[in-house]
Amino acid sequence: MTTLTKKPQKARAIKYIAIHVTATQQNTTLAALWQGWKARGFTRAGYHYLVWPDGRVEQLIDEGLISNGVANYNTPTVNVAYVGGIITGKPGDYHDTRTPQQKASLLQIVRELKGRYPGAIIQGHRDFPGVAKTCPNFNAKAEYANV
């Protein structure tokens, strides 16, 4: 696991810590994720942090910068995603595919971010108003309620 010791380059008022899933198979690559973001017109990553199946945490952009995680809520949000969520790639194939290592790393990240932004609300992408997705394919509000 990685400890998030790097402080943001510039401060933002953070109201949310949003949990996501990449909606890919677990063997996807960062290059494939970037291709998807670019296809949607993004110039920055969709998430600040990405958790790989082995539990490795990769910071994609500085917390002081705005990512592309939740439409209309990106400015006050730090976005964290785990790689996975799809097994077969068929329509409706959305699952909680977190490995034990991903679960442990996600919990660690959420704890560290909550320590950094104590007033922030921790929730899944699906919990934002107007979102019709299953992302992150588990109930992040309930899972992290005691953080």
Side-chain angles (χ1 to χ4, degrees):
M1 277 187 268
T2 303
T3 300
L4 311 179
T5 56
K6 191 174 180 183
K7 300 292 182 201
Q9 291 177 2
K10 62 181 186 175
R12 288 191 300 137
I14 300 300
K15 295 180 184 176
Y16 301 99
I17 299 165
I19 310 302
H20 301 267
V21 62
T22 59
T24 62
Q25 293 181 328
Q26 287 186 323
N27 64 352
T28 196
T29 64
L30 187 54
L33 292 172
W34 270 111
Q35 186 176 35
W37 294 326
K38 287 178 182 178
R40 287 184 267 168
F42 296 169
T43 57
R44 287 197 182 127
Y47 321 109
H48 293 90
Y49 296 97
L50 192 60
V51 182
W52 294 96
D54 63 2
R56 182 174 42 93
V57 176
E58 187 166 356
Q59 184 171 6
L60 301 180
I61 63 170
D62 185 84
E63 288 172 32
L65 300 174
I66 298 169
S67 67
N68 294 296
V70 182
N72 302 315
Y73 289 90
N74 289 317
T75 299
T77 304
V78 172
N79 293 290
V80 178
Y82 72 94
V83 174
I86 290 179
I87 298 170
T88 66
K90 294 178 182 174
D93 178 27
Y94 302 113
H95 302 278
D96 179 358
T97 60
R98 292 175 296 160
T99 64
Q101 296 91 337
Q102 283 175 311
K103 287 181 180 183
S105 291
L106 280 165
L107 180 58
Q108 180 184 347
I109 290 171
V110 168
R111 284 181 176 152
E112 290 185 35
L113 290 172
K114 185 68 171 176
R116 193 173 291 160
Y117 309 107
I121 297 166
I122 303 163
Q123 62 186 36
H125 185 175
R126 70 185 192 179
D127 298 312
F128 285 86
V131 173
K133 295 182 176 197
T134 62
C135 179
N137 300 346
F138 71 95
N139 188 341
K141 266 187 161 180
E143 186 154 330
Y144 302 124
N146 295 319
V147 174

